[in-house]
């Protein structure tokens, strides 16, 4: 019995997985997250964003070159980490986050 390939197993193209993983690693290094669990959660979020969201702009923009697709997946993976960061901050302190939002980013008085 043959092992299924990555694309069949996950339902995404391997180039998106590789580029998204690289983007998640770079993002984790750049953001210097002290808690390894939070770094892992951000990395997984970035990877998932790259793997599952990249096909949309690739199709919309008509991108055909694999290197360009990889670059898009890398950027989307790093952006997904930012999104994960915002969600984690919101979940840690929902009321404080709401107050900062209402005050235009300033901490609650």
């Amino acid at each position: 019995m043959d092992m299924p390939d990555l694309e069949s197993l996950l339902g995404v193209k391997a180039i998106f997985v590789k580029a998204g993983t690289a983007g998640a690693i770079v993002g984790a290094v750049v953001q210097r997250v002290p808690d390894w669990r939070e770094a892992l959660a951000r990395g997984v979020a970035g990877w998932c964003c790259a793997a599952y969201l990249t096909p949309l702009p690739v199709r919309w923009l008509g991108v055909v070159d694999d290197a360009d697709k990889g670059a898009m997946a890398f950027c989307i993976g790093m952006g997904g980490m930012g999104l994960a960061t915002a969600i984690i901050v919101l979940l840690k302190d929902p009321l404080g986050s709401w107050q900062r939002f209402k005050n235009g980013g300033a901490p609650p008085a």
Side-chain angles (χ1 to χ4, degrees), residues 12-31:
V12 296
K13 293 191 177 279
I15 190 167
F16 300 151
V17 173
K18 291 186 282 188
T21 301
I25 291 169
V26 169
V29 169
V30 170
Q31 292 178 359

Side-chain angles (χ1 to χ4, degrees), residues 1 6 8 15 20 22 25 28-29 39 44 48-50 57-58 61 64 67 72 82-83 89 97-98 102 107:
M1 179 181 203
L6 188 61
S8 299
I15 190 167
I25 291 169
V29 169
V44 169
C48 288
C49 287
V58 163
L61 298 173
V64 293
M72 290 176 75
L83 178 63
V89 167
S97 297
W98 175 248
K102 282 179 34 180

Side-chain angles (χ1 to χ4, degrees), residues 70-96:
M72 290 176 75
F74 182 86
C75 293
I76 290 171
M78 287 187 67
M81 288 189 69
L83 178 63
T85 301
I87 292 170
I88 289 168
V89 167
L90 177 67
L91 293 175
K92 282 184 176 179
D93 185 17
L95 294 177

